[in-house]
Amino acid sequence: MALELDQTPQRVYYQVKRLLDAGLARQVAQRRVRGIHEGIYQAAGRSYWLSPALVGRIGMRQTRDRLSLGYLVDLMEDVQADIAALGLTRPDLPSIGVSGDIRVRPEQRKAFLDELRQTLQDLFTRYGGADGDAFRLAVACYPRGEPDERT
């Protein structure tokens, strides 16, 4: 790995140790090479979501079609950046997070999405005035696969 990255083995090992300490990697095996114990490591998670501030955006902004998955990726990056910035300056601010699964038959999808949009629009209308504390409301609604499809 050090050769591939054009770094010293010590520098790579230092970075691997940092990943281990943070729980982002784990040792899965060990082998003996020329009298030295060599560790085999792998990522601890199946995927990682890094702050756009650290690595930049994941590609170009997607089309602004609010029904596209690309829009959700952009929205989640915006929410993540907003929350990270607030966490540094005002960790005491009130917030709420809600998550759950809803099952909708194919013939009910349009009615469900229309009702969800109308409910949210009612909230924006009722609380969208210029006075008071500003809150951002971000709602993500996306299809989930069956449990065996998510593995």
Side-chain angles (χ1 to χ4, degrees):
M1 184 186 242
L3 288 174
E4 190 70 29
L5 296 172
D6 194 29
Q7 298 291 323
T8 65
Q10 294 83 4
R11 185 174 185 95
V12 171
Y13 182 68
Y14 171 79
Q15 296 300 331
V16 169
K17 287 292 288 176
R18 301 281 313 257
L19 293 170
L20 290 168
D21 293 344
L24 298 173
R26 65 176 175 257
Q27 185 171 351
V28 294
Q30 190 176 53
R31 65 183 178 197
R32 200 165 160 84
V33 178
R34 287 182 251 150
I36 298 172
H37 291 280
E38 190 174 84
I40 309 296
Y41 304 93
Q42 75 178 31
R46 291 188 301 162
S47 63
Y48 297 95
W49 190 281
L50 300 175
S51 168
L54 289 175
V55 296
R57 294 198 87 63
I58 302 173
M60 300 294 289
R61 273 219 177 259
Q62 299 293 320
T63 176
R64 297 312 267 178
D65 174 4
R66 293 178 185 263
L67 298 178
S68 74
L69 293 177
Y71 180 81
L72 284 181
V73 170
D74 287 342
L75 176 63
M76 292 301 108
E77 286 182 357
D78 291 345
V79 169
Q80 184 182 23
D82 288 349
I83 291 171
L86 282 174
L88 294 174
T89 60
R90 298 284 313 277
D92 59 324
L93 288 174
S95 63
I96 184 172
V98 178
S99 176
D101 291 338
I102 295 175
R103 297 213 173 251
V104 179
R105 291 187 184 97
E107 66 273 9
Q108 295 176 314
R109 283 185 197 144
K110 182 178 179 343
F112 166 71
L113 292 173
D114 288 344
E115 185 176 347
L116 178 60
R117 184 174 328 175
Q118 186 59 54
T119 300
L120 294 171
Q121 188 58 50
D122 291 347
L123 284 172
F124 285 124
T125 301
R126 188 174 322 137
Y127 296 103
D131 296 332
D133 296 329
F135 282 83
R136 180 168 192 199
L137 176 63
V139 176
C141 183
Y142 53 92
R144 288 192 59 164
E146 294 303 316
D148 59 329
E149 293 176 359
R150 291 184 299 228
T151 58

